[in-house]
Amino acid sequence: MPNIVHANEADRELFERELDSFVPDVICDAHMHLWAKTHLPPTGWETFRQIEEEVVDLAAYRRRMAELLPGRRVAGGLILPGAVAAAGDQLRFQNELVAAEVAADPGWGGSMLVSPEMDPEYVRQEVRRLRLAGLKCYHVRSGLAVTWDADIPDYLPEAQVKVAHEERLCITLHMVKARAVADPSNQHWIRHYCETYPNMQLILAHAARGFDPYHTIEGMAALAGLPNLWCDMAAVTDVGACEAIIETLGHDHLLYGTDFPVSHLRGRCVAIGDGFLWLYDDTLDWKTVSFQPLQPVFVGLESLRVLKQAAWHCRLGDRQVEDIFCNNARRLLGLAV
Ligand SMILES: [Zn+2]
């Protein structure tokens, strides 16, 4: 089981050496998770149970962010539910926790955890009641025996996208299938939803799930010209995917995100062949695997390095970097922070 950890000397050194001069003073986090331990199913999700606090709210999140982004002000962003497998009352409580945090801090928007079987009118009533800005779907809620190969409508039905259009909501989509955005079915549904429902803002999480960046490099061109399509780059640790997004959608449709608590695991994801592999602190013996001892750092630091490289390769100026780190999310969510 990967461990959620506190910053150590290696994390602090890497930030100072490579990132301190790149990361702006004010941050909006467009992809992070809050939850309470009571929202988690009785078994599994052990990584989420490691955090000391029973309720991982904005205050708990901010304490951790001070370790990842020292000296930076996290002004807001988009709160996503963390207990994505919650059911029954726990699902409702999870959404109410997100709503309570958003209500207490005007810098943030929040997303409602939805399931494909939910009545679209219930979704509409709940986002209105809870004053939420978006929807969060997830493939594990599709009801399929094998969820990693699900088609998008299996976990994000069109009737819910229509509600998002009518209520002017964003939707954070962590797509699945082996080849992610290079898959023709995923391309079809993303284009269909974006063209049919222009007041819905679709955010492709993890650089269009570009954990293997070659999928994003290959697939993004098929999604050019959709003004309501965005990507966050949360937990992406390999170069190439952010560049493809900036070139296809523009830097003004790329959003910084941490994927907290994933940001506070150590290790990174690497492309291997036509897929990818997550290497965490407990995946291998880092002290003996190489000719010299290796010291994995926060996933959140690895993804900041990747974003810095993308800014460099795409010749972005300071103002454009600030857009990715904050202004784009404010514009998307209509936040005044
Ligand atoms: Zn996430």
Side-chain angles (χ1 to χ4, degrees), residues 31-33 80 136 174 205-206 234 259-260 262:
H31 184 142
M32 48 78 82
H33 298 274
L80 304 177
K136 174 73 175 97
H174 173 159
H206 313 301
D259 205 13
F260 172 82
V262 175

Side-chain angles (χ1 to χ4, degrees), residues 197-225:
Y197 305 103
N199 295 330
M200 175 272 311
Q201 307 298 318
L202 186 63
I203 305 168
L204 303 181
H206 313 301
R209 213 219 53 200
F211 294 134
D212 179 336
Y214 302 101
H215 296 149
T216 302
I217 292 165
E218 178 184 322
M220 279 311 292
L223 300 177

Side-chain angles (χ1 to χ4, degrees), residues 30-31 171-173 175 181 190 201-210 216 220 223 226-234 236 241-242 244-246 248-257 307 324 328-329 332:
H31 184 142
I171 301 177
T172 300
L173 174 68
M175 80 183 87
V181 78
I190 291 165
Q201 307 298 318
L202 186 63
I203 305 168
L204 303 181
H206 313 301
R209 213 219 53 200
T216 302
M220 279 311 292
L223 300 177
L226 297 171
N228 54 333
L229 184 65
W230 309 69
C231 290
D232 72 50
M233 43 59 70
V236 166
C242 291
I245 291 161
I246 292 168
T248 310
L249 303 183
H251 87 280
D252 51 349
H253 280 241
L254 180 62
L255 307 163
Y256 174 67
L307 188 53
I324 293 169
N328 295 343
L332 166 65

Side-chain angles (χ1 to χ4, degrees), residues 1-304:
M1 173 181 65
N3 294 294
I4 295 173
V5 291
H6 290 284
N8 63 17
E9 208 44 47
D11 297 309
R12 285 188 283 270
E13 271 179 25
L14 190 138
F15 186 88
E16 261 178 51
R17 186 175 61 245
E18 297 188 26
L19 298 166
D20 202 19
S21 61
F22 168 67
V23 178
D25 293 336
V26 182
I27 305 289
C28 288
D29 188 347
H31 184 142
M32 48 78 82
H33 298 274
L34 300 181
W35 70 97
K37 286 181 184 168
T38 54
H39 301 155
L40 299 169
T43 57
W45 303 92
E46 297 310 320
T47 295
F48 280 66
R49 286 183 226 279
Q50 294 171 5
I51 291 197
E52 297 90 350
E53 292 88 348
E54 283 299 309
V55 179
V56 183
D57 55 11
L58 273 178
Y61 159 83
R62 285 185 190 285
R63 283 191 286 276
R64 294 285 179 149
M65 279 304 120
E67 300 184 36
L68 177 68
L69 302 167
R72 270 53 179 187
R73 183 169 75 89
V74 182
L78 181 62
I79 302 173
L80 304 177
V84 292
D89 283 347
Q90 303 312 322
L91 170 57
R92 191 161 48 79
F93 296 154
Q94 165 70 89
N95 286 330
E96 286 173 352
L97 168 66
V98 172
E101 294 301 295
V102 167
D105 190 330
W108 294 88
S111 285
M112 174 186 173
L113 181 59
V114 290
S115 252
E117 75 280 4
M118 277 181 188
D119 181 340
E121 288 311 308
Y122 170 77
V123 173
R124 188 196 310 276
Q125 286 165 21
E126 283 294 276
V127 290
R128 286 184 181 179
R129 180 176 76 87
L130 298 171
R131 298 179 180 275
L132 294 173
L135 306 180
K136 174 73 175 97
C137 57
Y138 205 49
H139 62 99
V140 297
R141 310 193 68 88
S142 66
L144 300 172
V146 175
T147 68
W148 64 260
D149 198 34
D151 289 312
I152 290 171
D154 292 333
Y155 52 102
L156 179 63
E158 184 156 355
Q160 292 179 2
V161 182
K162 182 165 180 282
V163 168
H165 163 73
E166 290 163 354
E167 302 295 319
R168 307 185 84 86
L169 306 173
C170 62
I171 301 177
T172 300
L173 174 68
H174 173 159
M175 80 183 87
V176 287
K177 291 188 173 292
R179 308 198 75 244
V181 78
D183 185 285
S185 167
N186 282 338
Q187 291 174 358
H188 164 78
W189 287 108
I190 291 165
R191 180 164 282 282
H192 172 67
Y193 283 173
C194 283
E195 288 179 340
T196 312
Y197 305 103
N199 295 330
M200 175 272 311
Q201 307 298 318
L202 186 63
I203 305 168
L204 303 181
H206 313 301
R209 213 219 53 200
F211 294 134
D212 179 336
Y214 302 101
H215 296 149
T216 302
I217 292 165
E218 178 184 322
M220 279 311 292
L223 300 177
L226 297 171
N228 54 333
L229 184 65
W230 309 69
C231 290
D232 72 50
M233 43 59 70
V236 166
T237 60
D238 234 340
V239 293
C242 291
E243 287 89 330
I245 291 161
I246 292 168
E247 286 164 5
T248 310
L249 303 183
H251 87 280
D252 51 349
H253 280 241
L254 180 62
L255 307 163
Y256 174 67
T258 62
D259 205 13
F260 172 82
V262 175
S263 50
H264 287 62
L265 303 173
R266 284 218 175 85
R268 59 170 294 202
C269 188
V270 292
I272 295 182
D274 196 36
F276 59 88
L277 176 68
W278 276 95
L279 301 173
Y280 294 117
D281 57 352
D282 66 336
T283 308
L284 45 84
D285 184 350
W286 294 88
K287 290 198 165 48
T288 60
V289 75
S290 178
F291 69 95
Q292 59 179 7
L294 288 176
Q295 179 101 56
V297 296
F298 281 157
V299 169
L301 293 175
E302 297 281 9
S303 76
L304 282 167

